[in-house]
Amino acid sequence: MQYRELAVPGAFEITPKQFGDPRGVFLEWFKAAAFEEALGHPLDLQQANCSVSSAGVLRGIHFADVPPGQAKYVTCAKGAVLDVVVDIRVGSPTFGRWDSVLLDDTDRRAIYLGEGLGHAFMALEDGSTVMYMCSTGYNPGREHGVHPLDPAIGIDWPTTARDGSPLSPLLSEKDEAAPTLDEAAAQGLLPTAEAVDEYVRSLRR
């Protein structure tokens, strides 16, 4: 299992070792000891979610108030998605930067997004099934969004599906109504880099 930090600090791509034979494939998509060695603190698992999406469905950019925020460890069990992390931490040197990992049922990679980061993904195939473990449970009063098509962020979303057909982003009404990054900052919705750093340090004690 290999960990690679992304261009947004606090986010990692995880590549598992797969063991295949004529019967199929086995892999470890999460291992607590490897996670703690790479990040310096454990993942406190409080909730596990499953999301199934049609090609073109775009979910996010979602985030939660810090503390405690909501860290996510995400993989795609079936199909393919482009998974994106956005630095929404006010005061961060990489504020507004994004990076992405292709999650699919071939390489079976995962992505970890620490507290205070924005998360979004687009499905590249019908029935794409995303599984993600969360450090906190769902709390609608503490969860927010930024519009995933905000040109100031400029995420390069795919325009072609896995089968080569054209893709058009399909958003929920809630995500469609989400503020831009600048609007969210002006409304005081975004976490600060200072608060996130302080909370992550507390996890290492």
Side-chain angles (χ1 to χ4, degrees):
M1 186 173 288
Q2 296 179 334
Y3 279 72
R4 179 179 69 87
E5 190 164 24
L6 300 178
V8 175
F12 291 80
E13 173 193 84
I14 302 100
T15 303
K17 186 173 182 180
Q18 301 190 60
F19 301 90
D21 62 27
R23 300 170 300 162
V25 174
F26 174 84
L27 67 143
E28 297 170 339
W29 76 281
F30 173 77
K31 197 166 186 176
F35 179 92
E36 190 163 355
E37 181 180 355
L39 275 80
H41 64 79
L43 175 61
D44 183 14
L45 176 60
Q46 295 296 320
Q47 186 169 312
N49 300 330
C50 176
S51 173
V52 181
S53 301
S54 301
V57 168
L58 177 52
R59 302 182 187 271
I61 304 166
H62 300 150
F63 64 97
D65 291 338
V66 179
Q70 187 182 65
K72 297 176 181 177
Y73 192 103
V74 188
T75 195
C76 183
K78 177 180 179 292
V81 303
L82 184 72
D83 201 282
V84 173
V85 54
V86 182
D87 192 344
I88 57 168
R89 300 168 293 194
V90 176
S92 167
T94 54
F95 178 75
R97 181 180 296 176
W98 63 275
D99 203 352
S100 64
V101 175
L102 175 65
L103 304 181
D104 61 22
D105 51 17
T106 301
D107 294 323
R108 305 182 195 278
R109 291 188 177 96
I111 183 173
Y112 171 75
L113 308 95
E115 292 82 359
L117 298 177
H119 178 234
F121 65 84
M122 176 183 271
L124 308 181
E125 180 177 287
D126 286 343
S128 291
T129 303
V130 173
M131 311 286 290
Y132 53 107
M133 303 186 293
C134 305
S135 64
T136 58
Y138 177 63
N139 187 337
R142 299 180 60 83
E143 299 187 15
H144 312 282
V146 169
H147 203 291
L149 303 180
D150 180 357
I153 301 174
I155 299 171
D156 187 16
W157 292 111
T159 57
T160 305
R162 206 178 192 189
D163 63 3
S165 61
L167 275 184
S168 296
L170 177 62
L171 281 65
S172 69
E173 291 184 5
K174 182 177 179 180
D175 288 344
E176 191 68 70
T180 65
L181 187 63
D182 286 346
E183 289 169 344
Q187 294 169 24
L189 296 177
L190 303 180
T192 66
E194 182 180 5
V196 173
D197 289 346
E198 182 178 349
Y199 182 74
V200 172
R201 282 196 301 270
S202 75
L203 299 177
R204 297 192 173 108
R205 294 170 187 163

